Amino acid sequence: MTASRTARERVRAELTREITDIARRQLATEGAGGLSLRAVAREMGMVSSAIYRYFPSRDDLLTALIIDGYNALGAAVEQTEAACPPDDYLGRWLAACDAVRDWAVAHPHEYALIYGSPVPGYQAPQDTVAARVRDVAVLSRIVSDAWQAGAMRTPTTEPPAALDADTAVFRDLMPGVPDSVIWQAISAWTALYGWVNFEVFGQFQNTIEDRHTAFGHSMRLLAETLGFTQ
């Protein structure tokens, strides 16, 4: 009985993986808004009613793809940053930034799904949150470690009191870090992802050609703004 159940679970996992692989290819040709369970079933040679046993709706399939995307990006950032010396805070920051860009450029359609325009009619469930924060958790840890080690300058601009509730969301990610540093970090992250969005979505065409070098320089400028001293 146990062996039979394990075999069924293995087959289900393989079919689920095949469905999501086909759906990722569909993202490249149709975009997230054009994702269709019927089209995926047709490509698999499966009757359309059967695919609903794996994903009851298009939104369930979108959620799976979004979680996969966030996890893949998060894993890339985690692995790259972990290879750096713990006390090389600038090196860890630059490595993490490079990992974000490298993954996005290599997987533009998946990146577009998680950081592009919202899919009309889709509301991401709480299931996506744990995967969503993996890359941010790495960037937060770098800032927290650098601050605790005295390797960051103290910002001169304090956030307004009206932002206190918003700041609270990030205090758990950067315990003991002053609110002024937290907002400095948030500003740096938005600049990082803003750059990547410009590159992935073609905004640098006919303007910046050596994007790898330009990106590295921009991330060093951001590190200065963020306040790293080593």
Side-chain angles (χ1 to χ4, degrees), residues 141-163:
R141 187 168 61 249
I142 296 169
V143 170
S144 183
D145 290 350
W147 175 259
Q148 299 298 341
M152 294 185 73
R153 294 187 301 274
T154 302
T156 57
T157 303
E158 291 293 328
L163 291 176

Side-chain angles (χ1 to χ4, degrees), residues 43-198:
E43 184 170 339
M44 293 182 66
M46 176 188 290
V47 295
S48 58
S49 59
I51 201 169
Y52 292 102
R53 293 200 294 268
Y54 298 88
F55 295 98
S57 71
R58 182 210 65 161
D59 284 4
D60 291 303
L61 179 54
L62 271 175
T63 296
L65 294 175
I66 288 168
I67 291 173
D68 285 351
Y70 280 137
N71 277 328
L73 172 59
V77 175
E78 290 166 356
Q79 291 166 11
T80 301
E81 186 266 344
C84 300
D87 60 351
D88 181 6
Y89 308 109
L90 174 60
R92 289 167 62 188
W93 161 260
L94 295 175
C97 292
D98 280 340
V100 171
R101 175 184 178 267
D102 290 347
W103 187 87
V105 170
H107 306 88
H109 305 295
E110 293 170 67
Y111 181 83
L113 178 63
I114 59 178
Y115 278 111
S117 299
V119 180
Y122 174 78
Q123 182 69 41
Q126 283 295 111
D127 295 0
T128 62
V129 172
R132 167 65 187 89
V133 300
R134 285 181 66 173
D135 55 339
V136 174
V138 174
L139 297 168
S140 298
R141 187 168 61 249
I142 296 169
V143 170
S144 183
D145 290 350
W147 175 259
Q148 299 298 341
M152 294 185 73
R153 294 187 301 274
T154 302
T156 57
T157 303
E158 291 293 328
L163 291 176
D164 188 68
D166 293 331
T167 311
V169 176
F170 295 91
R171 289 184 188 127
D172 289 340
L173 289 170
M174 290 174 277
V177 174
D179 290 354
S180 57
V181 174
I182 289 175
W183 278 100
Q184 202 158 258
I186 294 169
S187 297
W189 300 337
T190 55
L192 160 63
Y193 284 96
W195 173 286
V196 175
N197 277 23
F198 262 51

